[in-house]
Amino acid sequence: MLRFVSALKNSWAGLVHLIHHETAFKQECFILVAAVPAGYIIAASFQQYVLLIFMLIFIILVEVLNTAVEAVCDALSTDFDANIKIAKDCGSLAVLLSVIMAATVWGFATIEWLLRFS
């Protein structure tokens, strides 16, 4: 139980840092909050609703991991290093791919929703 409490404290500290210092994280959280009611309207089923919301949570998850990679890289060196650039670029690519995945799922759900009214 003590480990669980300690993990919660560390997670909370990470959340507080992200809220105070990471604009992308705040924007993605705002989109998630706005998407909760929008997804309810668009989704054809409860399963689709869960998928829509989880896709946005997935973007946030990847953003959190990307921020962790960037923090480690910045702690290692402030000088230019080709390997650090690769690590940061790959983290950025991971975020981009997660956004493309979510946009695709949301796009298909939205098209399906529009077709239900035609």
Side-chain angles (χ1 to χ4, degrees):
M1 186 65 173
L2 188 58
R3 280 185 150 177
F4 180 72
V5 171
S6 179
L8 282 177
K9 287 180 183 178
N10 293 336
S11 297
W12 183 258
L15 177 64
V16 168
H17 171 80
L18 289 166
I19 289 170
H20 285 85
H21 301 286
E22 294 297 326
T23 303
F25 178 81
K26 288 186 272 193
Q27 290 169 342
E28 292 156 356
C29 287
F30 176 78
I31 290 168
L32 176 62
V33 169
V36 168
Y40 184 78
I41 293 166
I42 292 170
S45 66
F46 178 72
Q47 290 85 359
Q48 189 178 46
Y49 177 71
V50 170
L51 175 64
L52 291 172
I53 300 306
F54 275 15
M55 287 307 303
L56 297 176
I57 292 171
F58 181 69
I59 294 172
I60 293 170
L61 169 71
V62 175
E63 185 68 52
V64 169
L65 294 174
N66 181 46
T67 300
V69 167
E70 288 181 354
V72 169
C73 289
D74 291 345
L76 290 175
S77 176
T78 57
D79 297 331
F80 176 81
D81 182 281
N83 290 322
I84 288 176
K85 181 181 182 333
I86 291 169
K88 287 185 169 190
D89 290 349
C90 288
S92 179
L93 174 61
V95 173
L96 175 63
L97 292 174
S98 70
V99 168
I100 290 169
M101 289 171 56
T104 301
V105 170
W106 273 83
F108 278 116
T110 302
I111 290 168
E112 185 180 280
W113 175 70
L114 290 171
L115 291 175
R116 284 195 303 260
F117 293 108
S118 59

